[in-house]
Structures are given as structure tokens and as C-alpha cells.
Amino acid sequence: MSDADVTEIAAQTMMLAAKVAAPILLTALAVGFLISLFQAATQIQEPTLSFVPKMISVAVVLLITGNWVLSSLVDFTEHLFDQLPRLLDRT
């Protein structure tokens, strides 16, 4: 296995991690921003007011995108296992 192979696998892994985490993180960011705007407008500074809606929205996004996330991870793992013989022959 060459340095280029390791770099390619690492780049693919980081790209997949970003794609898988994006819906969850963007949802938490958007809900947190909206809640902070609401708190600034109403001057209600309750910590649970920001935590509970974020937790619920992240759970909903996980329910919606969970199948896609799991299939993406399984496809990537199968792809890596399919590449193993080719990568090991290069040594």
C-alpha cells in the first residue's frame, strides 16, 4: 500500500464523514440560531429552551436520514473491503 493509496482512502473517509454529519450539524445550527434569535428578542434566557428543541430536531433528522447514513457507511465499507486485495498486492 503506497502513500497515495492511504491519502486517497483518508480523503474519501473525511468526505464521507462530512456528508454524513452535515444534515445533523446543519439542523442543530439552524435550530440553535433560531432559538437564540427568539431568546434575544424576548429576553428569555432559559438554557433548556435551546437544548430541548435542538435535541428534538436532531432526533427527527436522524430518523429521516438514518437509512441514508447507514447505507452510505455500509457502501463505503464494502468498497474498502473490495479494494483490500488490490491494495495488498501492491506491497
Side-chain angles (χ1 to χ4, degrees), residues 2 16 28 32 35 46 48 50-51 59 72 77 84 86 88:
S2 68
L16 180 66
I35 295 298
E46 179 65 31
T48 57
S50 64
F51 177 73
S72 296
T77 304
L84 265 179
R86 181 185 64 81
L88 293 177

Side-chain angles (χ1 to χ4, degrees), residues 1 5-14 16 72-88:
M1 186 183 302
D5 293 331
V6 173
T7 305
E8 179 185 347
I9 291 171
Q12 290 173 352
T13 304
M14 287 187 281
L16 180 66
S72 296
L73 292 173
V74 168
D75 290 343
F76 181 71
T77 304
E78 288 175 351
H79 177 68
L80 282 180
F81 283 143
D82 290 342
Q83 281 186 337
L84 265 179
R86 181 185 64 81
L87 294 172
L88 293 177

Side-chain angles (χ1 to χ4, degrees), residues 9-30:
I9 291 171
Q12 290 173 352
T13 304
M14 287 187 281
M15 185 61 78
L16 180 66
K19 286 179 184 178
V20 165
I24 299 162
L25 293 176
L26 291 176
T27 301
L29 176 73

Side-chain angles (χ1 to χ4, degrees), residues 14-83:
M14 287 187 281
M15 185 61 78
L16 180 66
K19 286 179 184 178
V20 165
I24 299 162
L25 293 176
L26 291 176
T27 301
L29 176 73
V31 170
F33 179 71
L34 292 174
I35 295 298
S36 68
L37 282 178
F38 175 75
Q39 283 181 327
T42 60
Q43 295 184 358
I44 299 173
Q45 299 301 322
E46 179 65 31
T48 57
L49 186 63
S50 64
F51 177 73
V52 173
K54 274 197 266 188
M55 184 178 67
I56 292 170
S57 64
V58 166
V60 168
V61 168
L62 278 173
L63 285 173
I64 293 170
T65 63
N67 189 28
W68 171 76
V69 167
L70 185 61
S71 67
S72 296
L73 292 173
V74 168
D75 290 343
F76 181 71
T77 304
E78 288 175 351
H79 177 68
L80 282 180
F81 283 143
D82 290 342
Q83 281 186 337

